[in-house]
Amino acid sequence: MAETSVRELEAILLVGGQGTRLRPLTIGTPKPLLPTAGVPFLAHQLAQARAAGVRRIVFATSYRAEMFCEAFGDGSAFGLTLEYVTEETPLGTGGAIRNAAEALTCGPDAPVVVLNGDILSGHDIADQVARHVERGAALTLHLTEVEDPSRFGCVPTDDEGRVTAFLEKTPNPVTNRINAGCYVFTRSVIDTIPAGEVVSVERETFPGLIEAGALVLGYADASYWLDVGTPAAFVQGSRDLVLGRLPSPALPGPAGDLLALPGAVISPEAKVCEGTAVGARAAVHAGAKVTGSVLGDDCVVESEAIVADSVVGAGARVASGAVLRGAVVGDGAVVGPGNELLAGSRVWPGVVLPECAVRFSSDV
Ligand code: GDD
Ligand code: MG
């Protein structure tokens, strides 16, 4: 048994979701490929998995499947072997894991890491695997604590760390401890998920295993953790990576107040800070202020504009004096002079917001 597991640790990466909550950013690009701190989001997860000893990863794809292979190829740039398996129609998290498992090479007793493809986590995956193997568990779930567990899988455990229930998105959570989206399965357990069917691990497989008395463990820790599934969380994730709050081997430069990709032109009279990532060839003009934001490739932020905690898509333009706070501007869109977009505002790709007649104060 140890022979297979030590030889080559394998993982399955779940990346088939549509990323609906991140529209319009995810209209053309799946959530796991959105530029985050200068690289596609998944680059951070791949580098971290590699550092934890994973050597081979099977991508479980569905939505815009071909784009993953275009982005990461055979994985050699990461020191990984990557395989791509595509569901013609989405099979749900459990069906996707079962389907992707066809491309695993390990034996039935080996541990297999399964990762949700929208998570930034500083936890020690290698230690999670080691604990799983040590205790001979069927399944070991990474757990973290959040303020509002109702949006996640709520996971109570007993004194020995054994999971006693799995309550997906329950309005009445019994603990703040939630499923953090990184699992270690014993391979043979994956093979018990029905093939070719839509299955949810959260609603079917996990509760079923617990009910059947299988050893399901929690691996709880308090390291950095974030699901980047909403615009606010996505911006926060990029910012935290740029600032070095979550160290990432994939960050294309030193951590600091600002990350600027090649060809970016930032006026010395502009202020760009608080973990902002500036895309390739993007321009920030004199007097503009950009804080904690993600600026896409080739976008322009004109003079005296204010961009705070926002995403500006590739090739978009934020005109002089416009204000964005917690907003998302799609690729190629134009926010005309004087517009003020507040938290939750979304501008669809290519849309042009004309100059706003009523000028807002641009004081901050
Ligand atoms: N291949 C494939 N096929 N992947 C899928 C499918 C599918 O049908 N459905 C979802 N996924 C992938 C998504 O791309 C994502 O990487 C992952 O599965 C989880 O889906 P989300 O849509 O992000 O789920 P969530 O954030 O609402 O909830 C999940 O994650 C929470 C932690 O962030 C659950 O696992 C919760 O229990 C958990 O707490
Ligand atoms: Mg999610």
Side-chain angles (χ1 to χ4, degrees):
M1 165 204 140
E3 200 184 281
T4 355
S5 54
V6 170
R7 190 169 51 92
E8 190 181 65
L9 183 57
E10 293 185 297
I12 292 171
L13 189 54
L14 294 173
V15 289
Q18 298 220 356
T20 359
R21 287 169 297 171
L22 274 176
R23 280 187 193 149
L25 299 173
T26 45
I27 292 173
T29 309
K31 169 166 69 172
L33 296 180
L34 290 175
T36 313
V39 289
F41 178 81
L42 278 185
H44 302 289
Q45 279 191 299
L46 294 182
Q48 198 210 13
R50 173 71 172 74
V54 173
R55 290 294 175 268
R56 197 165 170 279
I57 302 186
V58 182
F59 279 49
T61 67
S62 176
Y63 178 65
R64 296 197 176 263
E66 69 297 338
M67 291 181 75
F68 291 93
C69 186
E70 284 161 21
F72 297 112
D74 66 1
S76 49
F78 289 85
L80 289 164
T81 302
L82 301 182
E83 304 285 340
Y84 301 89
V85 172
T86 302
E87 298 141 50
E88 273 175 34
T89 54
L91 290 173
T93 47
I97 294 168
R98 175 68 170 85
N99 193 48
E102 306 282 335
L104 294 173
T105 62
C106 61
D109 297 329
V112 175
V113 177
V114 176
L115 299 160
N116 281 358
D118 60 350
I119 302 293
L120 289 174
S121 174
H123 88 286
D124 186 341
I125 299 176
D127 191 49
Q128 184 185 349
V129 174
R131 300 274 188 90
H132 172 90
V133 173
E134 253 165 50
R135 292 189 57 184
L139 171 70
T140 303
L141 308 176
H142 176 219
L143 308 180
T144 191
E145 282 192 14
V146 294
E147 262 175 40
D148 177 11
S150 65
R151 297 192 293 122
F152 300 97
C154 174
V155 189
T157 52
D158 69 12
D159 293 345
E160 270 89 56
R162 190 169 179 147
V163 173
T164 53
F166 193 104
L167 310 156
E168 181 69 2
K169 302 196 175 105
T170 170
N172 304 308
V174 292
T175 164
N176 285 53
R177 208 164 257 191
I178 58 128
N179 167 27
C182 174
Y183 322 127
V184 183
F185 273 90
T186 294
R187 162 73 199 263
S188 57
V189 175
I190 297 180
D191 296 334
T192 65
I193 300 172
E197 283 179 31
V198 176
V199 179
S200 158
V201 277
E202 295 88 347
R203 296 183 191 278
E204 296 162 71
T205 313
F206 297 163
L209 285 168
I210 294 161
E211 200 167 317
L215 181 56
V216 179
L217 294 179
Y219 179 85
D221 81 338
S223 60
Y224 180 100
W225 185 86
L226 187 69
D227 174 323
V228 300
T230 63
F234 172 69
V235 174
Q236 187 191 331
S238 180
R239 181 170 57 223
D240 288 346
L241 287 160
V242 171
L243 290 170
R245 287 182 185 152
L246 175 66
S248 167
L251 191 72
D257 221 22
L258 149 78
L259 174 80
L261 292 189
V265 180
I266 299 169
S267 161
E269 279 113 64
K271 191 159 191 244
V272 181
C273 56
E274 291 176 31
T276 294
V278 184
R281 301 168 304 279
V284 183
H285 296 173
K289 186 174 179 197
V290 185
T291 54
S293 294
V294 180
L295 303 186
D297 293 347
D298 303 293
C299 76
V300 181
V301 178
E302 294 182 352
S303 60
E304 311 303 330
I306 292 173
V307 178
D309 307 327
S310 297
V311 184
V312 179
R317 185 162 71 86
V318 181
S320 181
V323 177
L324 308 183
R325 293 184 201 282
V328 174
V329 176
D331 294 351
V334 176
V335 180
N339 281 283
E340 183 170 9
L341 303 182
L342 299 182
S345 311
R346 300 169 193 223
V347 181
W348 248 241
V351 166
V352 177
L353 295 183
E355 175 164 6
C356 185
V358 184
R359 288 296 188 117
F360 293 91
S361 156
S362 60
D363 290 349
V364 265

